[in-house]
Amino acid sequence: KNEVEQSPQNLTAQEGEFITINCSYSVGISALHWLQQHPGGGIVSLFMLSSGKKKHGRLIATINIQEKHSSLHITASHPRDSAVYICAVSGNQFYFGTGTSLTVIP
Amino acid sequence: EADIYQTPRYLVIGTGKKITLECSQTMGHDKMYWYQQDPGMELHLIHYSYGVNSTEKGDLSSESTVSRIRTEHFPLTLESARPSHTSQYLCASSSTGPSYNEQFFGPGTRLTVL
């Protein structure tokens, strides 16, 4: 049983499309994180949120604490957005989803 | 940009060798972590430290050991590498300040044991 579930596992989009990646979790948390992992392995923290919504450029993250659900949206997707996006939650410890592999085609 | 470094980035070694994966951060973070990640799989916590001379095992059993003699340095050692240790190892750190939950990740070490 995974404490963090992401969908879809794989996603291919055309450049310019609006993309949504979903994350559901089953444990109590103090924060939810969206991470980006590029080929080669480096991980970058995109968002850390505990309520509401955050926006950085073309990326938007939302969280619904009651429903234990978060979404990551990418507007006007670009090939450089191609990466694995990982949802993680933190409370007493960190739990990670298996990631969503996104490929944006020019 | 996070200031957390890992060396080597890639390592191919034979079975039975002793190896140390280095991790250093220049942010003064008290908390440091080691994760293991197999291709296409989630990250698993194998060790963590909340400060100098503090080390704990994570939720994934590991034959590796760690030490924390200095705040900025958190090396991971495998005494006798085996093919089952082939994986990617990611180091991370976080502060105890207002953003205490935010982890900064190193670039990772991809280990192959032949």
Side-chain angles (χ1 to χ4, degrees):
Chain A
K1 172 187 175 295
N2 291 333
E3 289 81 1
V4 179
E5 299 277 358
Q6 282 184 241
S7 63
Q9 283 192 314
N10 297 285
L11 182 56
T12 300
Q14 287 292 133
E15 183 173 356
E17 284 186 7
F18 180 83
I19 290 162
T20 296
I21 300 171
N22 294 301
C23 175
S24 297
Y25 56 93
S26 59
V27 294
I29 70 169
S30 55
L32 183 140
H33 310 255
W34 281 103
L35 311 170
Q36 181 190 55
Q37 184 172 31
H38 278 285
I43 293 179
V44 174
S45 176
L46 297 174
F47 295 102
M48 181 179 71
L49 64 165
S50 54
S51 65
K53 176 179 170 179
K54 284 190 176 180
K55 184 176 188 292
H56 288 157
R58 295 180 293 106
L59 301 179
I60 303 166
T62 63
I63 186 169
N64 184 317
I65 297 294
Q66 287 74 30
E67 295 185 4
K68 295 189 172 181
H69 181 268
S70 174
S71 293
L72 175 69
H73 305 285
I74 304 175
T75 61
S77 60
H78 190 276
R80 64 175 174 266
D81 297 326
S82 298
V84 175
Y85 293 83
I86 301 169
C87 175
V89 298
S90 57
N92 292 330
Q93 62 183 89
F94 268 82
Y95 296 97
F96 294 86
T98 55
T100 295
S101 179
L102 171 66
T103 302
V104 181
I105 300 170
Chain B
E1 191 164 318
D3 296 315
I4 181 163
Y5 309 97
Q6 288 185 242
T7 58
R9 291 291 311 278
Y10 303 92
L11 181 61
V12 180
I13 59 166
T15 297
K17 300 290 186 184
K18 177 181 178 179
I19 59 166
T20 297
L21 308 185
E22 302 287 350
C23 176
S24 294
Q25 49 94 7
T26 59
M27 298 172 283
H29 288 169
D30 288 324
K31 297 180 181 178
M32 295 188 75
Y33 313 82
W34 274 104
Y35 294 94
Q36 185 174 343
Q37 185 186 31
D38 292 325
M41 303 296 287
E42 65 265 42
L43 285 81
H44 288 286
L45 181 67
I46 50 175
H47 295 283
Y48 61 97
S49 167
Y50 283 174
V52 171
N53 294 325
S54 151
T55 61
E56 301 288 343
K57 287 186 180 291
D59 57 347
L60 180 69
S61 65
S62 172
E63 292 158 348
S64 57
T65 59
V66 292
S67 63
R68 190 87 184 276
I69 298 171
R70 304 197 313 267
T71 298
E72 62 272 19
H73 194 216
F74 190 41
L76 180 144
T77 298
L78 280 166
E79 291 292 333
S80 180
R82 296 206 304 273
S84 61
H85 296 138
T86 295
S87 188
Q88 174 160 265
Y89 294 84
L90 287 153
C91 179
S93 72
S94 64
S95 73
T96 53
S99 297
Y100 70 94
N101 259 326
E102 184 171 15
Q103 293 199 351
F104 296 89
F105 287 84
T109 294
R110 192 169 295 277
L111 173 66
T112 302
V113 183
L114 303 176

